[in-house]
Amino acid sequence: MNDYILKAQNLSIGYNEVVKEGLNIELRPKEVLLLKGENGSGKSTLVKTLLKELKAKEGNYSWSYPLKKISYLPQMNKESQSIHYTIRDILDIYNIPSTHSYFIPKRLLSSPWENLSGGEKQKVRIASRLTKEAKVLILDEPFNHIDKKATAEISSFLSELIETGKLSALVIVTHKEIDFGPTSVVRLNL
């Protein structure tokens, strides 16, 4: 295994024009990379570049895993999504192992999606990205629209996934300061 999960050197990102330039990133195993910044600062553009949805304007970057082992959960919007499945159905559709979804209370497994709170829905959305192949998880604003209790539960679960080796690393776009316990956190302010 390489001594890094993600390494970027002198990376410039943007669409037509450069939004950010000279980004240097080193994400090592068992670390969380927090991407912080104001709206429009380039956080989502950086994620899209790292996922090869956008071409880097300058510089280079590399992952120690192929892209198929990097799982991405886009930002949740406030709109209610009408999904006519139970939580068990959703986890089965994504073939999520129980070792990656245990933090969803068993009492919720037979509940319809529409009946869940914002924090419960976010837990299911995160679990849906924890496939057997996933080694790195990228989450865009996973703590928006959820309360402090759900934020603490999710951050604790994510930290546990890193500490136990179920995931090698996390990349999280957030506006909030999150406690990941013993897990090493690297901050990049954009």
Side-chain angles (χ1 to χ4, degrees):
M1 176 60 121
N2 294 324
D3 63 342
Y4 67 90
I5 300 295
L6 168 65
K7 189 169 192 169
Q9 297 173 311
N10 200 31
L11 188 63
S12 294
I13 58 170
Y15 288 85
N16 294 328
E17 297 179 16
V18 172
V19 175
K20 282 289 180 192
E21 59 187 352
L23 297 172
N24 294 300
I25 303 167
E26 284 191 359
L27 177 62
R28 297 186 184 286
K30 292 195 169 198
E31 287 185 337
V32 175
L33 173 61
L34 285 183
L35 303 176
K36 296 184 78 175
E38 299 298 319
N39 289 339
S41 65
K43 299 180 305 291
S44 294
T45 304
L46 176 57
V47 167
K48 288 178 182 179
T49 302
L50 296 175
L51 292 171
K52 297 190 178 189
E53 293 177 15
L54 289 174
K55 187 175 180 183
K57 295 291 188 185
E58 195 174 300
N60 58 64
Y61 67 94
S62 62
W63 292 97
S64 62
Y65 293 108
L67 279 180
K68 68 181 180 178
K69 293 189 179 267
I70 300 168
S71 189
Y72 171 60
L73 180 63
Q75 186 172 346
M76 177 175 71
N77 59 31
K78 282 186 175 181
E79 299 170 15
S80 175
Q81 297 171 331
S82 182
I83 299 174
H84 303 290
Y85 291 106
T86 66
I87 304 318
R88 182 177 287 111
D89 293 337
I90 293 169
L91 297 174
D92 287 346
I93 288 168
Y94 286 101
N95 195 26
I96 305 305
S98 60
T99 56
H100 289 64
S101 62
Y102 67 87
F103 82 118
I104 297 171
K106 292 196 184 314
R107 64 178 171 74
L108 293 180
L109 294 177
S110 60
S111 296
W113 173 260
E114 292 87 2
N115 292 354
L116 300 184
S117 69
E120 292 167 340
K121 285 181 180 178
Q122 190 64 335
K123 287 179 182 181
V124 173
R125 292 178 85 235
I126 290 169
S128 76
R129 297 310 189 264
L130 297 173
T131 63
K132 292 176 186 173
E133 299 80 26
K135 296 295 183 188
V136 177
L137 181 58
I138 300 175
L139 302 172
D140 193 350
E141 298 289 0
F143 305 108
N144 279 2
H145 314 301
I146 62 174
D147 63 24
K148 288 181 182 181
K149 181 180 180 220
T151 296
E153 291 171 353
I154 290 171
S155 62
S156 176
F157 172 68
L158 293 172
S159 180
E160 187 176 323
L161 290 174
I162 294 292
E163 293 301 317
T164 60
K166 291 178 181 143
L167 283 176
S168 294
L170 284 166
V171 177
I172 299 178
V173 175
T174 184
H175 289 94
K176 297 182 179 183
E177 194 56 43
I178 305 297
D179 179 15
F180 287 98
T183 305
S184 178
V185 177
V186 176
R187 289 170 175 76
L188 179 61
N189 293 312
L190 296 174

